[in-house]
Amino acid sequence: MEVVATDDDTEHRSTSGLAANEDAHIQDVSSAVSDESELESADSDCNDDDCDHEAFIQHLSTLPENGNTTPFASERFALLYTLLHSAHPLGERNLKFILHIIKKEDVSAPSLYQLKKFSLPGYHAPSLVYSDLGEPFYMNKPIDVIRRCFGDPDISKTLQRIPVSHSDIVTSSCSSLPLTVQDEMYILGKEMDALFTQVRGLVSCPSRILVEKPLCPLCEMSIQEFQAFIAPHPLKAKGNGKAVVVTPLLLYSDDLSGNLSKQWNLLDCWCILFAGLPRKMNHQLGNIHLLCASNTVSAVQMMGPIVSELCALEQGVEVFDEKTQECVLVVAPVLAIMCDNPRASQIVGHMTGRPSKFCRVCLADANESSDMIAELRTKASSMVEFAKISFANGSAKAELKTLSGLCDMPTPILKLTLDPYQGTPLEALHTLVLGPLKYFLHDVMSRLTKKEKEQMQAFMNAFDYSGFEVIPKPKRICNYSGSLVGRDIKAFAQMALFILEPYLSAGEKEVWIAMLKVFRIAYCGTLRTSMLDAYQGTCDAFVQAIKEHNPSMLKKKKVHLVLHLPAALREFGPTSGYNTERCEAFNSLVRCQNVHSNRHNPSRDIAVGFSVREHLTYVVSGGRYGPNNERCSPAIRELFKTTEVLHFMNGYTPKTHTHGEFGKLEASRKLQKLSDVLIYCKCEQSCALGCLLDGGHYQLQQHGAEISMDALGYLYKCTAGTKNATIKVTNCIKLFYRNKIQYGILHACFMERSGLTYCLIQLFEEMVGSFGEPILNDIDCPLLTLTKQLLLVPPSTLVCAVSICHQCSSSCTLKEQSNGQLLFKHDWNNDMYAYNIYCMSND
């Protein structure tokens, strides 16, 4: 079966307290990396406990001094510099004490003053700029970010230069649908170094184009088309023979609290990301680049200087490319703007109250056509409306604003070639998870009795969470549904129908099924271009179900915006490339930088901290700096690759397991017979499995040898799948066996004395109808049967854990225990299961 689916100011760590240099360098180092499993589940701020300060400080005392440590005085100085400017600082009082301890052992250790005064060569401080109203704030220029990234060997080699070819399945924003010959232009350099398309009046990003093969001048085209094809492109002429590289950018804007309490002291910030980075790298916190933040200048007012810089990037800037070892012309247009709905409306000049035209994307009327997509807004038509509003007075102006849904004047973002009305794609966290999902979940929970909530908690405790990255907490879900955060709702949504079905009416069930199908589309890791029409149908069905069963919800903007999800998928690819969960987590780093300053000038303190942090990362990664294009010494590069330093800088220990590698051993290293593995199965199917194991011999496909059930070996708890995620014993898993995808239960991991490793799998079989169609249950999940077929396969065949739920019947009982708690017990004689299409791991 295949399913797609405080201290004196002179010593404080703020730049405002450093004497004689207004732009002194206060550094903040952070490169918080997330693995693939964090991408889908982290929608809250990172904890300050993520950085292991103790292990890092112990590492300081064990360092040998290795000769050349350019640009630092020593390796110890480099680590202390990093400790001083970490993303989650210890505080100055703690730093002074640590330095005092180190000086007891090494009198040559640097002082806190020396560390503060040190500046890395090649560092560019943030610029003081002014908003359109003359309000000052500090900004890290995008051009500096681009120069660092193209000069960083680690980033430059992974940055996508040309579009990714694909047929039907799209996995990133660097893949899209093919354009016609008339829409395409090639810029030929050394081996066709770039590909451009004329969209929106200027060169756009390469993600719009599918590269299959170079265009042939002998194709059928008119003389004018051929001349236009062979004519030198203006950007190529501007590059003066240099290679031209297009690197589309993603803009992110949000507001956050500058206090640890996450209340009051509002800050607005702007960040950029590179859309051409692989998805896993693009969501690492170290690859989110802060442009500016301020507590006195709003995000809209900060747009003026930012847009001026971005317009220059659209024309192309010359930078050194570490990958090609030459200067290239980089064109960096804005692909999309990521933000929540109120901020998106502010950016595009749309009214944030309740105007008649309540949608920022189209002209839908809240009272008449909210259940369908109306005429789409465009930059040209909006500029006409802005002109009408600016010439009107009094009540006429108010009426025009209400009818059009636009503000008094256009925002600076309209100066970009990007059409912001279509370039602010639906953001799933705030639009869907904290929108309809939260509304309907709270509605169900608010009417349940105490007894029913206890029953629901029992159901959730008995649920199999195979394939879940975050496990929802039953008590929190049932008792605090009105104050749940996005992480909680996302986790529960993947199992909601299996738990809530007995408490839903037929109409509510229809709404929930449609809503959760939209949820899976909104959090897709891959996208089938052939299914885009079907995705639109799913979104339409959700809105129509709400119209029929809960029409009052139609006036909510978040419900209508769901209709624009397929268009965002078609234009920008899978939502995992532009969802904002990891950017929301980035807010904690901005907040921490503000907390550990004297707050005299938050905009400067935050901008300086992040610019130094990024420059430090650039230098220790091997980037060139200074007039002589120097690099850090090999000793420094190796130092910053050690586990302790990576753990401190990135906030976690990088996983080192590989595909097919066994995980933790059992406590006992005693040799076991394979026939005794049922005592390790830890699941109710042990009895049935024991019958199947009696005296069996099983053919191992990869090695072509029969393994006796009495073979001796060591038992392991878990193994690693192809997605670099741990698969535990008793998990339902997906495996690639005999050239096809199959599903089963992992019962044991076993290593023979000879060193060969095996996994014992019990297979599922898909239930099909008379015409070969899959049989679905009441919530549209395909049904499976747990067979008696056992496989002994190499761990390399395991792909990942998946969510497969027991299809409960009347024989599955709910019993009250002696302590008064309810316990739900599955009847394992019922071998029917359901493939959970709503789980985010079940692509």
Side-chain angles (χ1 to χ4, degrees):
M1 179 183 68
E2 185 175 1
V3 181
V4 179
T6 180
D7 325 74
D8 296 338
D9 288 342
T10 56
E11 292 186 350
H12 200 278
R13 199 181 159 265
S14 165
T15 53
S16 302
L18 293 179
N21 187 358
E22 185 169 290
D23 292 321
H25 313 313
I26 300 302
Q27 292 85 0
D28 180 347
V29 179
S30 169
S31 182
V33 181
S34 65
D35 62 8
E36 188 73 19
S37 65
E38 291 174 307
L39 299 184
E40 305 296 343
S41 63
D43 54 63
S44 63
D45 291 345
C46 298
N47 294 324
D48 289 349
D49 297 334
D50 287 342
C51 296
D52 191 348
H53 296 95
E54 181 179 356
F56 181 81
I57 294 170
Q58 289 178 354
H59 186 58
L60 284 170
S61 62
T62 61
L63 282 176
E65 293 301 334
N66 298 329
N68 183 12
T69 57
T70 304
F72 301 97
S74 65
E75 290 186 354
R76 182 171 286 111
F77 188 99
L79 292 181
L80 287 172
Y81 182 82
T82 303
L83 179 65
L84 171 65
H85 304 305
S86 103
H88 298 283
L90 292 170
E92 187 160 328
R93 187 171 301 172
N94 292 329
L95 287 169
K96 286 180 178 180
F97 186 69
I98 292 171
L99 290 171
H100 174 72
I101 296 174
I102 295 175
K103 274 190 171 292
K104 290 290 185 180
E105 300 293 331
D106 182 7
V107 295
S108 63
S111 66
L112 182 59
Y113 177 79
Q114 290 173 317
L115 290 171
K116 283 185 174 183
K117 295 298 292 183
F118 178 76
S119 177
L120 284 168
Y123 168 68
H124 295 279
S127 302
L128 176 63
V129 295
Y130 296 87
S131 70
D132 295 337
L133 299 179
E135 297 174 306
F137 64 95
Y138 284 81
M139 179 178 68
N140 294 314
K141 292 189 175 182
I143 178 58
D144 294 332
V145 175
I146 289 177
R147 287 198 175 104
R148 281 195 295 262
C149 290
F150 271 84
D152 189 321
D154 297 333
I155 296 179
S156 178
K157 67 182 180 182
T158 57
L159 192 62
Q160 192 64 46
R161 308 306 176 97
I162 60 175
V164 178
S165 300
H166 72 88
S167 54
D168 182 34
I169 298 179
V170 180
T171 59
S172 72
S173 296
C174 292
S175 303
S176 190
L177 300 175
L179 300 180
T180 63
V181 171
Q182 291 80 3
D183 294 324
E184 294 179 350
M185 297 184 73
Y186 283 88
I187 300 178
L188 303 178
K190 301 175 182 178
E191 302 178 358
M192 196 188 82
D193 48 63
L195 175 65
F196 289 83
T197 174
Q198 289 292 112
V199 178
R200 299 168 182 159
L202 194 76
V203 174
S204 184
C205 64
S207 64
R208 321 279 185 190
I209 310 164
L210 169 64
V211 179
E212 290 179 343
K213 56 185 177 180
L215 290 176
C216 175
L218 302 180
C219 300
E220 293 184 5
M221 60 175 66
S222 66
I223 297 177
Q224 293 81 1
E225 290 173 335
F226 179 71
Q227 290 175 343
F229 179 74
I230 65 175
H233 195 280
L235 286 177
K236 197 64 180 180
K238 183 177 180 180
N240 195 24
K242 298 181 177 65
V244 183
V245 178
V246 174
T247 174
L249 303 176
L250 296 170
L251 280 180
Y252 169 73
S253 180
D254 197 13
D255 53 8
L256 65 142
S257 169
N259 298 342
L260 287 178
S261 64
K262 301 183 182 180
Q263 298 182 56
W264 308 291
N265 192 20
L266 187 68
L267 294 170
D268 279 330
C269 70
W270 282 90
C271 306
I272 60 171
L273 303 84
F274 287 87
L277 284 176
R279 183 176 64 185
K280 184 176 180 180
M281 289 189 65
N282 201 23
H283 284 71
Q284 294 175 1
L285 300 187
N287 290 324
I288 302 176
H289 309 279
L290 180 88
L291 293 181
C292 53
S294 178
N295 63 338
T296 59
V297 187
S298 70
V300 175
Q301 294 170 355
M302 286 190 282
M303 278 198 297
I306 295 175
V307 168
S308 297
E309 294 289 332
L310 294 175
C311 288
L313 294 179
E314 287 181 340
Q315 302 302 317
V317 292
E318 187 177 316
V319 301
F320 179 81
D321 185 6
E322 184 66 29
K323 181 179 180 179
T324 61
Q325 293 293 302
E326 63 180 1
C327 289
V328 298
L329 185 71
V330 175
V331 179
V334 176
L335 172 63
I337 304 174
M338 308 184 302
C339 50
D340 56 25
N341 294 309
R343 178 54 53 85
S345 292
Q346 293 172 2
I347 290 173
V348 303
H350 182 257
M351 295 178 66
T352 56
R354 294 190 176 183
S356 177
K357 300 295 189 294
F358 71 144
C359 178
R360 71 173 185 271
V361 183
C362 71
L363 297 173
D365 194 292
N367 301 314
E368 297 177 3
S369 57
S370 58
D371 61 334
M372 62 183 68
I373 298 176
E375 179 185 353
L376 296 179
R377 295 181 186 270
T378 63
K379 189 184 346 184
S381 62
S382 295
M383 291 301 292
V384 173
E385 294 297 327
F386 280 123
K388 293 179 181 179
I389 294 172
S390 63
F391 286 112
N393 295 306
S395 60
K397 173 177 285 196
E399 184 178 359
L400 283 173
K401 289 170 62 178
T402 302
L403 291 176
S404 64
L406 298 177
C407 299
D408 292 323
M409 60 185 66
T411 61
I413 205 73
L414 295 172
K415 297 178 182 178
L416 296 175
T417 56
L418 170 77
D419 189 335
Y421 300 100
Q422 311 306 319
T424 50
L426 178 141
E427 199 278 304
L429 174 63
H430 297 92
T431 302
L432 186 63
V433 175
L434 298 178
L437 264 172
K438 187 172 184 178
Y439 304 153
F440 283 105
L441 177 58
H442 181 60
D443 178 65
V444 173
M445 294 300 178
S446 61
R447 66 171 186 259
L448 295 183
T449 64
K450 181 180 179 180
K451 189 68 174 180
E452 289 173 330
K453 289 183 178 181
E454 291 175 352
Q455 293 175 356
M456 185 179 295
Q457 291 183 49
F459 295 153
M460 294 180 67
N461 288 328
F463 192 83
D464 184 359
Y465 291 101
S466 297
F468 278 62
E469 301 293 349
V470 176
I471 298 178
K473 298 181 179 180
K475 186 175 181 180
R476 179 185 295 176
I477 297 294
C478 294
N479 298 330
Y480 306 101
S481 59
S483 58
L484 297 176
V485 297
R487 179 182 60 250
D488 300 323
I489 301 174
K490 282 173 61 178
F492 181 74
Q494 300 172 64
M495 59 181 292
L497 281 171
F498 292 93
I499 305 299
L500 296 179
E501 187 180 8
Y503 310 103
L504 301 177
S505 65
E508 290 174 326
K509 183 177 174 181
E510 180 183 350
V511 172
W512 271 91
I513 291 175
M515 179 169 57
L516 291 180
K517 288 181 178 179
V518 173
F519 168 79
R520 280 301 290 119
I521 296 173
Y523 281 99
C524 59
T526 59
L527 168 68
R528 288 191 179 273
T529 57
S530 60
M531 295 290 291
L532 286 171
D533 291 338
Y535 296 157
Q536 185 66 64
T538 300
C539 296
D540 292 340
F542 166 60
V543 175
Q544 292 303 316
I546 288 184
K547 182 179 181 179
E548 181 178 352
H549 302 289
N550 199 338
S552 62
M553 287 283 291
L554 279 179
K555 292 187 177 182
K556 290 188 177 292
K557 185 191 305 183
K558 292 181 179 180
V559 173
H560 170 80
L561 284 173
V562 169
L563 294 172
H564 296 287
L565 175 59
L569 295 174
R570 186 184 302 273
E571 186 76 4
F572 305 107
T575 58
S576 56
Y578 48 90
N579 278 337
T580 62
E581 278 84 345
R582 293 308 291 164
C583 295
E584 293 280 345
F586 182 80
N587 290 347
S588 68
L589 304 185
V590 181
R591 178 182 301 110
C592 197
Q593 186 67 38
N594 182 66
V595 168
H596 290 275
S597 72
N598 58 18
R599 310 194 187 191
H600 289 182
N601 194 335
S603 179
R604 181 177 60 193
D605 294 343
I606 295 172
V608 168
F610 276 91
S611 64
V612 175
R613 161 213 160 188
E614 293 187 9
H615 188 62
L616 173 62
T617 303
Y618 166 77
V619 169
V620 300
S621 296
R624 302 173 185 268
Y625 59 86
N628 298 323
N629 290 326
E630 299 174 80
R631 297 182 189 266
C632 68
S633 66
I636 291 297
R637 292 205 65 181
E638 291 301 320
L639 173 65
F640 280 83
K641 290 180 181 179
T642 57
T643 302
E644 293 85 1
V645 178
L646 284 174
H647 190 182
F648 177 74
M649 293 183 66
N650 300 337
Y652 83 112
T653 303
K655 293 183 178 179
T656 58
H657 61 246
T658 57
H659 175 211
E661 177 185 5
F662 279 167
K664 298 179 181 178
L665 279 167
E666 285 286 355
S668 174
R669 284 299 306 267
K670 181 181 179 181
L671 286 166
Q672 301 285 342
K673 292 182 181 180
L674 189 56
S675 56
D676 295 331
V677 297
L678 68 156
I679 65 175
Y680 290 93
C681 290
K682 298 184 180 70
C683 62
E684 297 290 343
Q685 296 98 324
S686 297
C687 295
L689 180 64
C691 297
L692 296 173
L693 290 176
D694 287 343
H697 286 72
Y698 299 92
Q699 186 75 18
L700 184 63
Q701 180 191 18
Q702 179 173 333
H703 301 287
E706 289 189 357
I707 305 300
S708 170
M709 300 306 294
D710 291 330
L712 295 176
Y714 298 102
L715 282 172
Y716 286 70
K717 285 185 177 180
C718 56
T719 187
T722 58
K723 289 187 177 182
N724 207 29
T726 299
I727 302 172
K728 299 180 180 179
V729 170
T730 74
N731 278 171
C732 297
I733 55 98
K734 174 166 70 173
L735 67 155
F736 188 74
Y737 180 69
R738 291 180 178 174
N739 295 322
K740 67 177 181 179
I741 294 294
Q742 299 190 56
Y743 299 89
I745 298 177
L746 175 61
H747 286 302
C749 301
F750 188 77
M751 178 182 286
E752 264 197 311
R753 283 186 295 184
S754 62
L756 298 179
T757 55
Y758 312 103
C759 294
L760 184 64
I761 312 293
Q762 187 175 4
L763 290 181
F764 289 106
E765 183 179 345
E766 182 183 10
M767 296 181 65
V768 297
S770 56
F771 297 100
E773 76 281 4
I775 299 177
L776 308 179
N777 64 3
D778 293 339
I779 57 176
D780 292 354
C781 292
L783 291 176
L784 308 173
T785 300
L786 184 64
T787 69
K788 294 183 179 181
Q789 182 181 1
L790 290 178
L791 290 179
L792 199 59
V793 299
S796 58
T797 62
L798 275 61
V799 178
C800 62
V802 295
S803 177
I804 297 177
C805 311
H806 188 250
Q807 184 69 18
C808 294
S809 61
S810 58
S811 57
C812 298
T813 58
L814 188 65
K815 297 182 179 180
E816 186 173 352
Q817 296 178 290
S818 57
N819 58 4
Q821 293 184 349
L822 294 176
L823 176 66
F824 185 77
K825 190 171 184 180
H826 294 282
D827 177 16
W828 298 115
N829 292 321
N830 173 17
D831 58 2
M832 192 175 297
Y833 289 74
Y835 185 89
N836 185 4
I837 65 172
Y838 307 107
C839 182
M840 292 166 58
S841 66
N842 291 10
D843 277 337

